[in-house]
C-alpha cells in the first residue's frame, strides 16, 4: 500500500500523538441514525481504491485512518488535519483515503475518526473487499457429436470460482427436465439429447468485481432419420407404352413406398429392388397416375420424401 493522498505515517506521528492525548479526555458522540461511516466497496486487485466517508459530521478538523478496528500506532494508516476557515479541496479534505494498487491483503475493516473542532470525535467503519479478477474457465464436453434420443452428454466447467452459470447460444440456459446440474453447478448432464439442444454452450463464472465466460463448446445433435429424396425417370408417361423407375435416396435401411399418401399395394407390373430403393412400374397404366413417396424409418422416428406426381397419358 502507498498513501500518496494522505501524509506518510512517519511524518505525522507526533501530531497524531498529541491528538490522541486530547481525544482520551474527550467524550464519544453518541451514535445517531445517520451514522458517520466509510462506504464499503469491492475492488479488483491492483486497482487504486478511494475509501470515502459518508454522513461526515460538520466542522471536521481532520481525519485519522486505521486499518482494522484497533485504533493504535500499529494500525495507523494516515491522518490529515487542517484549519477549517480555509477552503480546501482534495480527497483528504473530504474525508477520503486513496489506496494505490490494492492487494488481497488489504481486504478487511477500516476505521476513520473524524476530529471535530470542539475536540469531540466521531468514529466510522467500513469494509474493503479486494478480489482477483476471475480467470477464464475451461468447458469440456464428454462428446460433442451426439445422436438424438440415444446419447447423453456431460459438460464440465473447470474453474476455481464458486459461482458458475451456464449459457446456451449466449443467453442464460433454461434447464429442461432432461438436464441436470451437479450440486456445485460445475457439471451439466443432458440425457438424452434432443435436436433442440444443439448449439453453443458456455459456462460463466463471476465474483463481485468481474465475470468471464469459457470458450463455447458446440454440441452437434444428429437426427437418426435421413431425409429421403425420390427420383423418377419421367413424370409424364404414356399408358401401356412407358415404364416408370423411381429411386429413393437415403441412408436408412428401412424403406416403404406410399401411393397417394397410403401404403403402396404392389401390383404384378410393379417391382421393388432387393433393397427396396427402386420401384419400377412396367408398363404403366392410367390407374398408376398419382403421388408417390418413399418413407424411411428407424425405431425413434420416420420421415417421407417430397411426393412425385406421375401423369399418365392415354
Ligand atoms: C443455437 O445455435 C445453433 C448454432 O448457431 C443453432 O443452430 C440453433 O438453432 C440455436 N438454438 C436455439 C434454440 O436458439
Ligand atoms: C417423358 O415422357 C413423355 C411421354 O412419354 C415424353 O413426351 C417426354 O419427351 C419424356 N421426357 C423426357 C425428359 O424423357
Amino acid at each position: 500500500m502507498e498513501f500518496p493522498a494522505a501524509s506518510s505515517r512517519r511524518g505525522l506521528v507526533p501530531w497524531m500523538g498529541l491528538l490522541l492525548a486530547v481525544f482520551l479526555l474527550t467524550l464519544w458522540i453518541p451514535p445517531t441514525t445517520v451514522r458517520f461511516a466509510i462506504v464499503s466497496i469491492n475492488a479488483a486487485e491492483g486497482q487504486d481504491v478511494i475509501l470515502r466517508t459518508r454522513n461526515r459530521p460538520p466542522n471536521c478538523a481532520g481525519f485519522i485512518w486505521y486499518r482494522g478496528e484497533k485504533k493504535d500506532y500499529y494500525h495507523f494508516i494516515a491522518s490529515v488535519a487542517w484549519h477549517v476557515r480555509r477552503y480546501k479541496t482534495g480527497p483528504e479534505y473530504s474525508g477520503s483515503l486513496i489506496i494505490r494498487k490494492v492487494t488481497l491483503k488489504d481486504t478487511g475493516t477500516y476505521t476513520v475518526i473524524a476530529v471535530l473542532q470542539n475536540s469531540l470525535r466521531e468514529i466510522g467503519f467500513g469494509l474493503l473487499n479486494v478480489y482477483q479478477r476471475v480467470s477464464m474457465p475451461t468447458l469440456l464436453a464428454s462428446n460433442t457429436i451426439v445422436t438424438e434420443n440415444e446419447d447423453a452428454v456431460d459438460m464440465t466447467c473447470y474453474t476455481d470460482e464458486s459461482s458458475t452459470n451456464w449459457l446456451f447460444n449466449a443467453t442464460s440456459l433454461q434447464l429442461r427436465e432432461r438436464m441436470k446440474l451437479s450440486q456445485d453447478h460445475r457439471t451439466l448432464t443432458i440425457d438424452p439429447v434432443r435436436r433442440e439442444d444443439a448449439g453453443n454452450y458456455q459456462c460463466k463464472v463471476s465474483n463481485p468485481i468481474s465475470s468471464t465466460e469459457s470458450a463455447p463448446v458446440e454440441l452437434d445433435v444428429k437426427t437418426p432419420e435421413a431425409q429421403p429424396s425420390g427420383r423418377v425417370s419421367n413424370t409424364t408417361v404414356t399408358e401401356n407404352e412407358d415404364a416408370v423407375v423411381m429411386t429413393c435416396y437415403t441412408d436408412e435401411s428401412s424403406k416403404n413406398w406410399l401411393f397417394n399418401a397410403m401404403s403402396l399395394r404392389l401390383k404384378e407390373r410393379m417391382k421393388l429392388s432387393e433393397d427396396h430403393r427402386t420401384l419400377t412400374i412396367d408398363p404403366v397404366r392410367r390407374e398408376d397416375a398419382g403421388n408417390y413417396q418413399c418413407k424411411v424409418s428407424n425405431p425413434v422416428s420416420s420421415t417421407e420424401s417430397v411426393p412425385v406426381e406421375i401423369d399418365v397419358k392415354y
Side-chain angles (χ1 to χ4, degrees):
M1 275 201 292
E2 304 162 42
F3 303 101
S7 315
S8 82
R9 171 181 297 200
R10 231 159 253 129
L12 271 171
V13 167
W15 178 86
M16 242 282 296
L18 180 63
L19 213 54
L20 280 182
V22 175
F23 291 158
L24 292 174
L25 305 172
T26 60
L27 290 168
W28 290 97
I29 289 180
T32 55
T33 47
V34 278
R35 285 201 71 111
F36 172 53
I38 299 167
V39 180
S40 294
I41 57 167
N42 297 323
E45 193 179 38
Q47 189 185 325
D48 293 346
V49 165
I50 303 179
L51 290 183
R52 299 178 195 279
T53 52
R54 60 177 155 83
N55 304 324
R56 277 187 305 281
N59 307 321
C60 271
F63 295 101
I64 312 168
W65 290 85
Y66 296 95
R67 172 75 174 83
E69 289 174 41
K70 286 205 174 113
K71 298 166 288 297
D72 61 25
Y73 174 80
Y74 298 102
H75 296 86
F76 172 72
I77 299 172
S79 62
V80 61
W82 63 90
H83 195 277
V84 284
R85 284 183 204 285
R86 256 167 62 201
Y87 179 70
K88 293 187 178 177
T89 55
E92 57 267 54
Y93 301 111
S94 60
S96 299
L97 175 72
I98 298 179
I99 310 177
R100 301 260 184 235
K101 294 191 174 59
V102 288
T103 67
L104 296 182
K105 286 186 192 154
D106 296 326
T107 292
T109 305
Y110 286 75
T111 302
V112 64
I113 291 170
V115 181
L116 310 186
Q117 269 183 296
N118 48 13
S119 293
L120 294 178
R121 62 180 181 170
E122 216 171 311
I123 189 164
F125 302 98
L127 269 176
L128 168 62
N129 289 303
V130 182
Y131 297 91
Q132 275 173 326
R133 286 189 196 283
V134 290
S135 49
M136 195 171 158
T138 302
L139 180 60
L140 295 177
S142 54
N143 41 357
T144 55
I145 301 175
V146 288
T147 305
E148 179 167 38
N149 290 320
E150 279 180 21
D151 291 337
V153 65
D154 276 334
M155 288 186 237
T156 305
C157 184
Y158 292 91
T159 174
D160 293 332
E161 299 299 324
S162 53
S163 165
T164 309
N165 288 292
W166 290 82
L167 304 180
F168 173 61
N169 284 357
T171 60
S172 188
L173 171 72
Q174 306 279 120
L175 279 189
R176 297 167 197 267
E177 73 287 353
R178 296 171 290 101
M179 298 178 176
K180 230 172 55 193
L181 279 180
S182 63
Q183 210 164 340
D184 62 6
H185 285 211
R186 284 187 201 170
T187 302
L188 170 69
T189 303
I190 311 177
D191 187 11
V193 288
R194 291 258 177 88
R195 196 188 310 211
E196 63 260 31
D197 303 330
N200 288 301
Y201 289 81
Q202 285 167 287
C203 65
K204 180 178 174 177
V205 295
S206 47
N207 69 12
I209 56 126
S210 63
S211 74
T212 183
E213 291 146 23
S214 68
V217 165
E218 190 175 352
L219 187 66
D220 186 2
V221 180
K222 300 280 183 212
T223 48
E225 73 231 50
Q227 181 69 38
S229 64
R231 191 169 296 173
V232 67
S233 51
N234 189 340
T235 58
T236 305
V237 287
T238 306
E239 184 173 29
N240 290 321
E241 278 181 23
D242 290 333
V244 173
V245 180
M246 284 179 270
T247 307
C248 180
Y249 292 90
T250 177
D251 293 332
E252 296 299 318
S253 54
S254 170
K255 292 169 279 288
N256 290 291
W257 288 86
L258 303 181
F259 174 59
N260 290 339
M262 313 258 282
S263 189
L264 173 70
R265 284 161 188 266
L266 280 185
K267 306 186 181 175
E268 73 289 354
R269 296 170 291 101
M270 298 178 180
K271 226 170 61 196
L272 275 181
S273 64
E274 208 171 320
D275 63 2
H276 288 208
R277 203 179 259 246
T278 305
L279 170 68
T280 306
I281 311 176
D282 187 15
V284 72
R285 294 255 178 91
R286 68 183 73 177
E287 66 260 33
D288 301 330
N291 288 306
Y292 290 81
Q293 284 166 283
C294 69
K295 179 177 173 176
V296 298
S297 49
N298 68 16
V300 295
S301 61
S302 73
T303 185
E304 290 146 24
S305 68
V306 174
V308 167
E309 189 176 351
I310 300 292
D311 188 12
V312 181
K313 302 262 179 249
Y314 52 90

